[in-house]
Amino acid sequence: MAIPSRDDVSIVPRPFVVRDRVVETGDTVSLDLVPVGGGPVPEFAPGQFNMLSPFGAGEVAISISGSDEERGSWTHTVRSAGKVTDRLTRLPPGATLGVRGPYGVGWPLASARDHDLLIVAGGLGLPPLRPAIRRILAHRTEYGRVEIVYGARTPSDLVFSSEIQRWRLRDDLRFQTTVDAAGRDWYGDVGLVTARIPDARFDPARTQVWACGPEIMMKAVAQAAIARGVPPAAIYLSMERNMKCAVGWCGHCQFGPEFVCRDGPVLPYPALAPWLAVREV
Amino acid sequence: MSAARSSRPHALAPSSHPFLRDFDPPFLHGLAPASQERTFAADEYLLRDGGEADGFYLLLHGKVALEIATPERPRLTIQTLGPGEVLGWSWLLPSHRWHLDARAVKETRAIVLEAAALRHAIDAHPRDGVRFLTALLPIIGQRLANTRIQLLDIHRG
């Protein structure tokens, strides 16, 4: 991706308004955003992110977790984890905020055609994957077997519960959920997402693995997939770094030779592996 | 060993369970008199914290929750196990006591090998014993690695 010039309008936030706000968990909401004055939202590639700025609080990179092209809206799923995200999660319908983007490189949907897919999400790693999963399901015959493993801290931390329920009922994918700990009222799996990989159904030689979540989880997923015979080059991870400019100017998100905002956030594992083992990168 | 809803002798074979796949049939035949196929009803406990670790469980069907109970908080499930997985290695360690509870989340079927017979077989047939421990150790190691990651509480915001 070319680096924009300093007078490029793509780095200027546009005013958007919160059309709808859905409470996902105790600290996480999904915000449905439309441009002030209406009109379409730019096309985006699943896995890309926007920079959201609740006025007066700062700016933060949030992946696009959905869109409604007919109604011209983007959805962003935000967990309250700091000053800016806390302000975002408190925005009511009708509130205005700044949005710029979409930025970055998304999931390799085109090269995944005719392949099996193992998609692994941890915690808020599911929102950046949801648009890709929706695209795959909309063009289901173009892909092989689809296995999705979603891990969260507890059952009450699972997002998109109604959509997950619909995915579970489909017979053309397998969706497994696991949590780190649960009470007796949970009948699902408990344990790490990686524990579900040994019996996942895919042809390792014709599989892509996509993972998004905490870095240590993604590293374990990559190692488990490689142990099953998946070529490292067929593994893609969505990295999270402290992004500021989002266009490759400032270097805040640099990870080894990669700028996560510009070259990622979705990057092939071989480009990341040497740096995942380095402290303080 | 805990009471099960039903139990019957099981003729052990490499095909009985993925864990047994690489063992020589004579070794397994020697263990056959000490093996039973048992069915546990939903919510029935396979083993209890502090109880005698007297069996090695090879899960065939169903789901088992490994639970920790402490007086100050509700019972917590820290891991679930399913078909093809194994449960329990405290019978290898000198105190021979379980260190957690294992509850059937739904009806669960397992091959249960008597611990005393298994320890004897491992001692009497060192080559098979090493093979047994070599098969078990990666499972223990993987669960330890997973537990370390769980301890990091990686999904907390």
Side-chain angles (χ1 to χ4, degrees):
Chain A
M1 190 171 112
I3 299 176
S5 66
R6 289 181 187 275
D7 55 357
D8 191 321
V9 294
S10 71
I11 60 161
V12 177
R14 291 173 61 194
F16 274 61
V17 65
V18 178
R19 187 179 63 185
D20 197 12
R21 177 181 182 272
V22 175
V23 175
E24 300 284 354
T25 70
D27 60 5
T28 303
V29 302
S30 287
L31 300 173
D32 204 19
L33 307 179
V34 294
V36 168
V41 290
E43 284 188 17
F44 77 103
Q48 284 189 305
F49 64 94
N50 281 321
M51 298 299 290
L52 307 187
S53 45
F55 298 129
E59 191 179 44
V60 66
I62 302 289
S63 293
I64 301 169
S65 63
S67 70
D68 186 334
E69 283 162 16
E70 283 182 16
R71 299 171 73 188
S73 69
W74 277 325
T75 306
H76 292 78
T77 302
V78 188
R79 171 187 286 157
S80 173
K83 188 180 78 170
V84 185
T85 52
D86 184 61
R87 181 75 73 81
L88 282 170
T89 59
R90 293 173 190 274
L91 290 178
T96 306
L97 72 161
V99 177
R100 60 185 180 98
Y103 296 119
V105 177
W107 302 104
L109 281 156
S111 67
R113 287 202 183 97
D114 299 323
H115 285 65
D116 294 344
L117 271 165
L118 171 64
I119 297 173
V120 184
L124 270 200
L126 186 59
L129 282 160
R130 182 170 71 163
I133 295 169
R134 286 176 171 175
R135 295 258 178 114
I136 290 163
L137 296 181
H139 303 275
R140 185 64 190 88
T141 55
E142 296 177 14
Y143 300 90
R145 283 173 287 197
V146 178
E147 291 261 345
I148 304 172
V149 184
Y150 172 34
R153 189 165 178 259
T154 69
S156 62
D157 294 307
L158 296 165
V159 297
F160 308 148
S161 50
S162 57
E163 187 161 13
I164 285 174
Q165 199 55 36
R166 290 198 297 277
W167 288 345
R168 280 182 173 286
L169 294 174
R170 295 180 67 118
D171 57 9
D172 58 357
L173 83 154
R174 185 163 73 150
F175 193 101
Q176 300 187 78
T177 306
T178 183
V179 298
D180 282 350
R184 290 193 66 167
D185 54 348
W186 171 252
Y187 292 89
D189 290 332
V190 178
L192 278 195
V193 289
T194 46
R196 307 269 67 83
I197 293 177
D199 69 341
R201 291 170 292 204
F202 57 80
D203 173 5
R206 296 283 301 163
T207 294
Q208 280 197 8
V209 177
W210 300 352
C212 186
E215 212 162 285
I216 192 168
M217 179 213 87
M218 293 196 291
K219 189 175 166 185
V221 167
Q223 288 168 347
I226 291 167
R228 282 282 311 265
V230 177
I235 299 170
Y236 294 84
L237 311 181
S238 181
M239 300 299 291
E240 185 173 333
R241 278 295 181 274
N242 185 15
M243 299 189 208
K244 289 290 183 190
C245 71
V247 289
W249 283 346
C250 71
H252 271 87
C253 65
Q254 192 168 356
F255 188 73
E258 313 286 351
F259 281 25
V260 173
C261 69
R262 185 192 66 196
D263 306 317
V266 177
L267 288 156
Y269 182 66
L272 298 167
W275 302 99
L276 287 171
V278 179
R279 293 179 195 179
E280 308 295 338
V281 172
Chain B
M1 227 176 270
S2 69
R5 203 175 72 167
S6 71
S7 62
R8 59 189 176 89
H10 183 93
L12 279 184
S15 60
S16 298
H17 187 276
F19 183 83
L20 304 176
R21 194 167 38 210
D22 296 328
F23 291 99
D24 292 332
F27 177 68
L28 298 179
H29 291 161
L31 284 169
S35 73
Q36 287 191 321
E37 188 175 312
R38 311 178 81 183
T39 302
F40 300 86
D43 279 335
E44 189 176 352
Y45 279 86
L46 285 72
L47 50 95
R48 290 277 198 176
D49 186 8
E52 184 185 355
D54 54 0
F56 180 53
Y57 294 73
L58 308 167
L59 303 180
L60 299 172
H61 176 81
K63 182 182 287 190
V64 174
L66 306 188
E67 297 179 339
I68 294 178
T70 57
E72 65 274 12
R73 60 185 294 177
R75 186 172 283 277
L76 192 69
T77 299
I78 53 162
Q79 188 179 10
T80 50
L81 301 173
E85 296 187 284
V86 304
L87 165 65
W89 47 75
S90 297
W91 53 269
L92 269 169
L93 309 172
S95 68
H96 302 157
R97 296 282 161 191
W98 298 122
H99 296 291
L100 41 68
D101 298 331
R103 175 178 59 87
V105 177
K106 54 188 177 181
E107 184 172 278
T108 296
R109 201 153 41 83
I111 300 168
V112 187
L113 302 179
E114 278 179 33
L118 204 42
R119 285 194 296 266
H120 176 76
I122 289 170
D123 284 343
H125 308 284
R127 196 172 64 89
D128 293 310
V130 168
R131 187 175 292 177
F132 187 94
L133 296 175
T134 305
L136 187 56
L137 199 56
I139 297 171
I140 297 173
Q142 188 59 57
R143 290 191 192 165
L144 177 62
N146 289 353
T147 302
R148 283 176 176 155
I149 295 178
Q150 278 174 282
L151 278 174
L152 293 175
D153 202 6
I154 56 174
H155 296 306
R156 185 182 280 276

